Protein backbone atom coordinates (compact mmCIF):
# COMPACT_ATOMS: atom_id res chain seq x y z
CA UNK A 1 0.00 0.00 0.00
CA UNK A 2 1.27 3.47 -0.81
CA UNK A 3 1.43 5.73 2.21
CA UNK A 4 2.02 9.44 2.02
CA UNK A 5 4.20 10.27 5.03
CA UNK A 6 3.21 13.92 5.05
CA UNK A 7 -0.42 12.93 5.34
CA UNK A 8 0.30 11.46 8.73
CA UNK A 9 -0.05 14.62 10.61
CA UNK A 10 -1.46 17.22 8.31
CA UNK A 11 -4.76 17.24 10.11
CA UNK A 12 -3.12 17.93 13.42
CA UNK A 13 -1.69 21.34 12.67
CA UNK A 14 -4.88 23.19 11.94
CA UNK A 15 -6.24 24.03 15.36
CA UNK A 16 -4.79 26.06 18.17
CA UNK A 17 -7.23 26.09 21.02
CA UNK A 18 -6.69 28.80 23.62
CA UNK A 19 -7.67 26.27 26.28
CA UNK A 20 -6.72 22.79 25.25
CA UNK A 21 -9.50 20.34 25.72
CA UNK A 22 -10.74 17.01 24.64
CA UNK A 23 -12.49 17.33 21.30
CA UNK A 24 -13.33 15.40 18.16
CA UNK A 25 -9.79 15.45 16.82
CA UNK A 26 -8.63 13.56 19.90
CA UNK A 27 -11.36 10.93 19.93
CA UNK A 28 -9.76 7.50 19.99
CA UNK A 29 -11.15 4.17 19.06
CA UNK A 30 -9.67 1.36 21.05
CA UNK A 31 -11.68 -1.68 20.03
CA UNK A 32 -10.86 -1.90 16.37
CA UNK A 33 -7.20 -0.88 16.44
CA UNK A 34 -4.91 -2.92 14.23
CA UNK A 35 -1.18 -2.52 13.85
CA UNK A 36 -0.11 -0.97 10.54
CA UNK A 37 3.30 -2.50 9.96
CA UNK A 38 3.81 -0.82 6.59
CA UNK A 39 3.27 2.63 8.03
CA UNK A 40 5.33 1.89 11.10
CA UNK A 41 8.25 0.75 8.92
CA UNK A 42 7.93 3.86 6.80
CA UNK A 43 8.01 6.13 9.84
CA UNK A 44 11.12 4.36 11.14
CA UNK A 45 12.81 4.85 7.78
CA UNK A 46 11.92 8.53 7.64
CA UNK A 47 13.06 9.18 11.20
CA UNK A 48 16.39 7.56 10.36
CA UNK A 49 16.93 10.29 7.78
CA UNK A 50 17.09 12.79 10.65
CA UNK A 51 18.66 10.86 13.50
CA UNK A 52 20.00 7.48 14.42
CA UNK A 53 18.45 6.78 17.81
CA UNK A 54 20.97 4.01 18.49
CA UNK A 55 23.75 6.57 18.26
CA UNK A 56 21.98 9.74 19.39
CA UNK A 57 20.65 8.18 22.57
CA UNK A 58 24.04 8.86 24.14
CA UNK A 59 27.35 10.57 23.73
CA UNK A 60 30.07 7.93 23.94
CA UNK A 61 33.25 7.98 25.97
CA UNK A 62 35.65 8.09 23.07
CA UNK A 63 34.27 11.38 21.80
CA UNK A 64 34.94 13.57 24.84
CA UNK A 65 37.40 13.99 27.68
CA UNK A 66 37.13 15.53 31.15
CA UNK A 67 37.29 19.31 31.02
CA UNK A 68 35.85 19.60 27.50
CA UNK A 69 33.54 22.55 27.05
CA UNK A 70 29.93 21.95 25.96
CA UNK A 71 27.47 24.60 24.78
CA UNK A 72 23.95 23.98 26.07
CA UNK A 73 21.52 23.07 23.32
CA UNK A 74 18.88 25.67 24.29
CA UNK A 75 21.19 28.23 25.89
CA UNK A 76 23.90 28.41 23.27
CA UNK A 77 25.77 31.18 25.06
CA UNK A 78 26.19 29.21 28.27
CA UNK A 79 28.67 26.43 28.65
CA UNK A 80 29.51 23.62 31.02
CA UNK A 81 32.52 21.35 31.41
CA UNK A 82 32.61 17.59 31.24
CA UNK A 83 33.26 16.59 34.85
CA UNK A 84 35.35 13.60 35.88
CA UNK A 85 32.22 11.86 37.17
CA UNK A 86 30.28 12.45 33.98
CA UNK A 87 33.18 11.19 31.94
CA UNK A 88 33.35 8.03 34.04
CA UNK A 89 29.67 7.39 33.48
CA UNK A 90 29.65 7.92 29.71
CA UNK A 91 28.94 4.59 28.01
CA UNK A 92 31.58 3.09 25.74
CA UNK A 93 28.97 1.61 23.39
CA UNK A 94 25.38 2.62 22.82
CA UNK A 95 23.18 1.24 25.59
CA UNK A 96 20.63 0.38 22.90
CA UNK A 97 23.07 -1.28 20.52
CA UNK A 98 21.41 -4.13 18.60
CA UNK A 99 18.30 -3.94 20.73
CA UNK A 100 15.09 -4.90 18.98
CA UNK A 101 11.82 -5.53 20.74
CA UNK A 102 8.47 -6.63 19.49
CA UNK A 103 6.21 -4.67 21.83
CA UNK A 104 7.29 -1.58 23.76
CA UNK A 105 5.39 0.55 26.24
CA UNK A 106 6.14 4.22 26.74
CA UNK A 107 4.61 5.49 29.95
CA UNK A 108 3.85 9.22 30.12
CA UNK A 109 3.05 10.84 33.44
CA UNK A 110 -0.53 12.03 33.05
CA UNK A 111 -3.04 11.51 35.86
CA UNK A 112 -5.21 9.66 33.31
CA UNK A 113 -3.35 6.56 34.53
CA UNK A 114 -4.91 6.76 38.00
CA UNK A 115 -7.51 4.01 38.51
CA UNK A 116 -6.72 2.62 35.08
CA UNK A 117 -5.57 -0.81 36.36
CA UNK A 118 -3.11 -0.76 33.45
CA UNK A 119 -0.10 -1.89 35.52
CA UNK A 120 -0.05 -5.59 34.50
CA UNK A 121 -0.72 -4.72 30.85
CA UNK A 122 2.14 -2.19 30.82
CA UNK A 123 4.49 -4.68 32.46
CA UNK A 124 3.64 -7.33 29.87
CA UNK A 125 5.56 -5.42 27.16
CA UNK A 126 9.03 -6.51 26.10
CA UNK A 127 10.56 -3.12 26.83
CA UNK A 128 9.16 -0.44 29.15
CA UNK A 129 10.18 3.22 28.96
CA UNK A 130 9.28 5.69 31.69
CA UNK A 131 9.77 9.42 32.10
CA UNK A 132 11.43 11.56 34.72
CA UNK A 133 11.91 8.96 37.45
CA UNK A 134 8.17 8.92 38.07
CA UNK A 135 7.40 6.77 41.12
CA UNK A 136 6.05 3.28 40.48
CA UNK A 137 5.89 1.42 43.77
CA UNK A 138 2.83 3.10 45.25
CA UNK A 139 1.09 3.20 41.87
CA UNK A 140 2.03 -0.15 40.37
CA UNK A 141 -1.57 -1.31 39.98
CA UNK A 142 -2.13 1.53 37.50
CA UNK A 143 1.33 2.14 36.04
CA UNK A 144 3.22 -1.14 36.51
CA UNK A 145 6.73 -1.31 37.87
CA UNK A 146 8.99 -2.77 35.20
CA UNK A 147 11.45 -0.28 33.76
CA UNK A 148 14.03 -0.82 31.04
CA UNK A 149 14.76 2.83 30.37
CA UNK A 150 13.88 5.88 32.40
CA UNK A 151 14.60 9.54 31.73
CA UNK A 152 15.72 12.08 34.30
CA UNK A 153 15.59 15.77 33.51
CA UNK A 154 17.94 17.54 35.95
CA UNK A 155 14.92 19.49 37.27
CA UNK A 156 13.53 16.24 38.71
CA UNK A 157 16.15 16.31 41.44
CA UNK A 158 14.66 19.58 42.60
CA UNK A 159 10.98 18.92 41.90
CA UNK A 160 10.67 15.38 43.21
CA UNK A 161 13.60 15.11 45.60
CA UNK A 162 13.85 18.58 47.21
CA UNK A 163 17.32 19.19 45.78
CA UNK A 164 18.60 16.46 48.13
CA UNK A 165 18.66 18.96 51.00
CA UNK A 166 18.60 16.37 53.76
CA UNK A 167 19.83 12.87 54.45
CA UNK A 168 16.26 11.68 54.10
CA UNK A 169 15.86 13.08 50.59
CA UNK A 170 19.29 11.82 49.52
CA UNK A 171 18.23 8.40 50.76
CA UNK A 172 14.94 8.48 48.89
CA UNK A 173 16.71 9.48 45.70
CA UNK A 174 19.28 6.74 46.17
CA UNK A 175 16.52 4.16 46.74
CA UNK A 176 14.80 5.25 43.55
CA UNK A 177 18.05 4.90 41.61
CA UNK A 178 18.76 1.52 43.19
CA UNK A 179 15.33 0.24 42.24
CA UNK A 180 16.26 0.72 38.58
CA UNK A 181 18.64 -2.23 38.74
CA UNK A 182 20.26 -2.61 35.38
CA UNK A 183 18.04 -0.27 33.35
CA UNK A 184 19.14 2.68 31.28
CA UNK A 185 19.05 6.04 33.05
CA UNK A 186 18.81 8.69 30.36
CA UNK A 187 19.94 12.13 31.52
CA UNK A 188 19.57 15.12 29.19
CA UNK A 189 22.41 16.97 30.90
CA UNK A 190 23.24 19.45 28.16
CA UNK A 191 19.84 20.77 27.10
CA UNK A 192 19.32 23.80 29.31
CA UNK A 193 21.61 25.56 31.75
CA UNK A 194 20.87 25.42 35.45
CA UNK A 195 20.94 21.69 36.10
CA UNK A 196 24.69 21.18 36.28
CA UNK A 197 24.92 20.71 40.05
CA UNK A 198 21.89 18.42 40.17
CA UNK A 199 23.34 16.16 37.52
CA UNK A 200 26.63 16.12 39.38
CA UNK A 201 24.96 15.15 42.69
CA UNK A 202 23.14 12.30 40.98
CA UNK A 203 26.30 11.03 39.29
CA UNK A 204 28.27 11.23 42.52
CA UNK A 205 25.66 9.10 44.30
CA UNK A 206 25.66 6.54 41.49
CA UNK A 207 29.42 6.21 41.65
CA UNK A 208 29.71 6.32 45.42
CA UNK A 209 27.13 3.58 45.92
CA UNK A 210 27.95 1.66 42.72
CA UNK A 211 24.31 1.88 41.69
CA UNK A 212 23.51 -0.62 38.97
CA UNK A 213 22.21 1.65 36.18
CA UNK A 214 23.45 2.22 32.67
CA UNK A 215 23.73 5.98 32.28
CA UNK A 216 23.16 7.67 28.91
CA UNK A 217 23.51 11.33 27.94
CA UNK A 218 21.74 12.32 24.72
CA UNK A 219 23.78 13.71 21.86
CA UNK A 220 23.76 17.45 21.32
CA UNK A 221 22.04 17.05 17.97
CA UNK A 222 19.16 14.86 19.16
CA UNK A 223 16.66 17.60 19.99
CA UNK A 224 17.11 19.49 16.75
CA UNK A 225 16.99 16.31 14.72
CA UNK A 226 13.74 15.18 16.36
CA UNK A 227 12.22 18.61 15.92
CA UNK A 228 13.40 18.60 12.30
CA UNK A 229 11.65 15.31 11.62
CA UNK A 230 8.33 16.53 13.01
CA UNK A 231 8.59 19.94 11.33
CA UNK A 232 9.14 18.22 8.00
CA UNK A 233 5.94 16.31 8.67
CA UNK A 234 4.13 19.57 9.35
CA UNK A 235 4.00 19.25 13.11
CA UNK A 236 5.14 22.60 14.42
CA UNK A 237 6.35 21.74 17.87
CA UNK A 238 8.38 24.30 19.80
CA UNK A 239 10.40 21.83 21.85
CA UNK A 240 9.56 18.13 21.85
CA UNK A 241 8.49 16.75 25.22
CA UNK A 242 10.27 13.83 26.80
CA UNK A 243 7.35 11.62 25.76
CA UNK A 244 7.58 12.56 22.08
CA UNK A 245 11.36 12.19 22.16
CA UNK A 246 10.95 8.68 23.54
CA UNK A 247 8.39 7.74 20.88
CA UNK A 248 10.60 9.09 18.11
CA UNK A 249 13.60 7.13 19.38
CA UNK A 250 11.63 3.99 20.17
CA UNK A 251 10.61 3.61 16.51
CA UNK A 252 14.18 2.43 15.95
CA UNK A 253 14.08 -0.35 18.54
CA UNK A 254 10.45 -1.40 18.68
CA UNK A 255 7.94 -3.00 16.34
CA UNK A 256 4.68 -2.10 18.07
CA UNK A 257 4.69 0.96 20.29
CA UNK A 258 2.04 1.41 22.98
CA UNK A 259 1.67 4.71 24.79
CA UNK A 260 0.12 5.04 28.26
CA UNK A 261 -0.26 8.15 30.40
CA UNK A 262 -0.35 10.59 27.51
CA UNK A 263 -3.24 12.96 28.19
CA UNK A 264 -2.38 16.67 28.43
CA UNK A 265 -5.92 17.81 29.24
CA UNK A 266 -7.50 18.80 32.53
CA UNK A 267 -10.64 16.71 31.89
CA UNK A 268 -11.05 13.11 30.84
CA UNK A 269 -13.36 12.06 27.96
CA UNK A 270 -16.25 11.87 30.44
CA UNK A 271 -15.55 15.37 31.75
CA UNK A 272 -14.00 14.33 35.06
CA UNK A 273 -10.89 16.21 36.30
CA UNK A 274 -7.50 14.67 35.47
CA UNK A 275 -4.31 15.42 37.38
CA UNK A 276 -1.39 16.73 35.33
CA UNK A 277 0.89 14.08 36.84
CA UNK A 278 -0.36 10.87 38.44
CA UNK A 279 1.98 11.33 41.41
CA UNK A 280 2.18 15.01 42.37
CA UNK A 281 0.23 18.24 42.54
CA UNK A 282 1.75 20.02 39.57
CA UNK A 283 -0.80 22.02 37.58
CA UNK A 284 -1.45 22.47 33.89
CA UNK A 285 0.88 25.46 33.44
CA UNK A 286 2.60 23.57 30.61
CA UNK A 287 -0.31 24.02 28.28
CA UNK A 288 -0.02 27.82 28.51
CA UNK A 289 1.42 29.71 25.59
CA UNK A 290 4.62 30.53 27.50
CA UNK A 291 5.50 26.87 27.83
CA UNK A 292 8.28 25.53 25.64
CA UNK A 293 6.12 22.47 24.97
CA UNK A 294 3.14 22.07 22.65
CA UNK A 295 1.63 19.04 24.31
CA UNK A 296 -1.93 19.22 22.93
CA UNK A 297 -0.52 19.50 19.41
CA UNK A 298 1.74 16.54 20.09
CA UNK A 299 -1.25 14.63 21.41
CA UNK A 300 -3.32 15.32 18.29
CA UNK A 301 -0.40 14.10 16.20
CA UNK A 302 -0.14 10.91 18.23
CA UNK A 303 -3.92 10.45 17.93
CA UNK A 304 -3.66 10.64 14.15
CA UNK A 305 -0.92 8.03 14.22
CA UNK A 306 -3.07 5.89 16.50
CA UNK A 307 -5.98 6.04 14.06
CA UNK A 308 -3.62 5.03 11.27
CA UNK A 309 -2.34 2.08 13.30
CA UNK A 310 1.27 3.28 13.54
CA UNK A 311 1.15 3.32 17.36
CA UNK A 312 -1.43 2.65 19.99
CA UNK A 313 -2.52 5.25 22.51
CA UNK A 314 -4.17 3.83 25.62
CA UNK A 315 -6.30 6.40 27.40
CA UNK A 316 -8.97 4.24 29.01
CA UNK A 317 -8.93 1.58 31.68
CA UNK A 318 -7.35 -1.81 31.18
CA UNK A 319 -9.77 -4.15 32.97
N1 LIG B 1 2.42 13.76 29.39
C1 LIG B 1 1.15 13.87 28.84
N2 LIG B 1 0.15 14.44 29.57
C2 LIG B 1 0.37 14.89 30.81
C3 LIG B 1 1.66 14.79 31.38
C4 LIG B 1 2.67 14.22 30.64
O1 LIG B 1 0.93 13.49 27.70
N3 LIG B 1 -0.64 15.42 31.51
C5 LIG B 1 3.48 13.08 28.61
C6 LIG B 1 4.38 14.07 27.86
O2 LIG B 1 4.76 13.50 26.63
C7 LIG B 1 5.59 14.18 28.77
C8 LIG B 1 5.67 12.80 29.40
O3 LIG B 1 4.32 12.37 29.52
O4 LIG B 1 6.77 14.48 28.09
C9 LIG B 1 6.36 12.77 30.74
O5 LIG B 1 5.79 13.72 31.58
P1 LIG B 1 6.67 14.82 32.35
O6 LIG B 1 7.54 14.14 33.31
O7 LIG B 1 5.77 15.89 32.84
O8 LIG B 1 7.61 15.31 31.13
P2 LIG B 1 8.01 16.74 30.52
O9 LIG B 1 6.93 17.75 30.70
O10 LIG B 1 8.48 16.53 29.11
O11 LIG B 1 9.20 17.12 31.35
P3 LIG B 1 9.77 18.60 31.55
O12 LIG B 1 8.69 19.40 32.18
O13 LIG B 1 10.93 18.38 32.48
O14 LIG B 1 10.15 19.09 30.19
Amino acid sequence: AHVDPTALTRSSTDTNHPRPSYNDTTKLSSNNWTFNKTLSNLIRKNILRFLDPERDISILKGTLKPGDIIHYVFDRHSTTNISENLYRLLPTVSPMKNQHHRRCAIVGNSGILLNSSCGPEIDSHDFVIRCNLAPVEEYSRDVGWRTNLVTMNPSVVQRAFQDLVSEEWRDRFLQRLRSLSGSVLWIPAFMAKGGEERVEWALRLILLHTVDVRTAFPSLRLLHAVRGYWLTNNVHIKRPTTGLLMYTMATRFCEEIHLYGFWPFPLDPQGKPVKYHYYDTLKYEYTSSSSPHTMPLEFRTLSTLHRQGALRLHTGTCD
Side-chain angles (χ1 to χ4, degrees):
H2 175 75
V3 190
D4 170 8
T6 62
L8 295 178
T9 48
R10 214 172 271 149
S11 65
S12 50
T13 55
D14 47 9
T15 43
N16 218 340
H17 300 282
R19 181 158 190 245
S21 63
Y22 177 78
N23 61 38
D24 278 349
T25 61
T26 58
K27 215 163 257 170
L28 302 172
S29 65
S30 51
N31 302 330
N32 53 6
W33 184 88
T34 45
F35 179 50
N36 184 338
K37 195 168 161 52
T38 315
L39 179 56
S40 154
N41 287 344
L42 182 67
I43 291 172
R44 176 180 308 111
K45 203 172 119 202
N46 286 338
I47 288 175
L48 279 165
R49 288 186 218 271
F50 288 80
L51 63 146
D52 176 357
E54 188 178 286
R55 182 192 62 202
D56 291 313
I57 193 164
S58 187
I59 297 172
L60 298 181
K61 213 174 212 135
T63 62
L64 287 175
K65 51 185 188 321
D68 277 357
I69 295 168
I70 300 271
H71 285 260
Y72 286 106
V73 173
F74 294 121
D75 304 293
R76 289 290 307 154
H77 301 298
S78 301
T79 59
T80 181
N81 289 85
I82 299 294
S83 70
E84 287 285 344
N85 288 340
L86 197 142
Y87 180 75
R88 284 172 66 188
L89 287 167
L90 284 175
T92 46
V93 291
S94 167
M96 290 303 285
K97 192 170 173 59
N98 296 330
Q99 290 215 32
H100 297 284
H101 303 282
R102 203 177 78 68
R103 290 172 75 252
C104 298
I106 304 176
V107 188
N109 287 334
S110 167
I112 197 83
L113 279 167
L114 290 172
N115 298 317
S116 69
S117 303
C118 285
E121 189 177 305
I122 290 173
D123 284 346
S124 75
H125 289 77
D126 304 307
F127 196 85
V128 181
I129 299 176
R130 298 182 189 273
C131 301
N132 284 322
L133 282 182
V136 285
E137 238 172 57
E138 317 88 292
Y139 303 93
S140 62
R141 195 176 66 94
D142 295 328
V143 310
W145 59 269
R146 276 193 54 219
T147 304
N148 298 99
L149 185 153
V150 64
T151 70
M152 188 197 93
N153 285 347
S155 59
V156 167
V157 178
Q158 184 231 333
R159 274 214 306 253
F161 297 94
Q162 302 288 312
D163 262 343
L164 313 181
V165 287
S166 62
E167 197 62 37
E168 193 198 331
W169 283 106
R170 281 193 289 278
D171 239 37
R172 275 202 212 184
F173 185 59
L174 186 58
Q175 289 319 321
R176 183 71 188 98
L177 293 177
R178 280 199 164 125
S179 71
L180 298 174
S181 57
S183 33
V184 177
L185 177 64
W186 188 83
I187 309 176
F190 310 119
M191 296 304 157
K193 66 173 178 193
E196 199 174 355
E197 269 191 300
R198 291 169 184 137
V199 171
E200 196 55 31
W201 295 336
L203 303 185
R204 212 177 294 151
L205 279 178
I206 291 170
L207 286 165
L208 191 65
H209 299 274
T210 46
V211 176
D212 180 21
V213 285
R214 289 182 293 146
T215 39
F217 305 87
S219 79
L220 299 176
R221 56 188 298 285
L222 176 74
L223 252 286
H224 295 303
V226 168
R227 190 161 170 262
Y229 166 76
W230 290 104
L231 285 179
T232 309
N233 284 283
N234 258 321
V235 185
H236 295 269
I237 42 176
K238 282 195 265 182
R239 192 190 286 189
T241 65
T242 306
L244 189 71
L245 277 175
M246 288 301 123
Y247 165 69
T248 313
M249 291 209 288
T251 58
R252 171 79 162 90
F253 313 109
C254 307
E255 277 286 308
E256 258 183 59
I257 300 177
H258 294 252
L259 307 184
Y260 296 83
F262 284 67
W263 187 265
F265 308 108
L267 299 177
D268 75 6
Q270 284 75 42
K272 288 210 213 84
V274 177
K275 288 178 69 184
Y276 180 69
H277 281 158
Y278 66 82
Y279 52 87
D280 65 20
T281 52
L282 217 64
K283 295 278 182 272
Y284 272 89
E285 67 203 45
Y286 279 144
T287 51
S288 76
S289 57
S290 61
S291 157
H293 294 320
T294 351
M295 266 196 209
L297 167 63
E298 284 188 8
F299 184 85
R300 288 196 297 276
T301 305
L302 296 171
S303 307
T304 305
L305 292 169
H306 167 94
R307 279 192 295 275
Q308 295 170 326
L311 57 82
R312 183 158 180 187
L313 260 173
H314 299 258
T315 52
T317 59
C318 292
D319 12 65

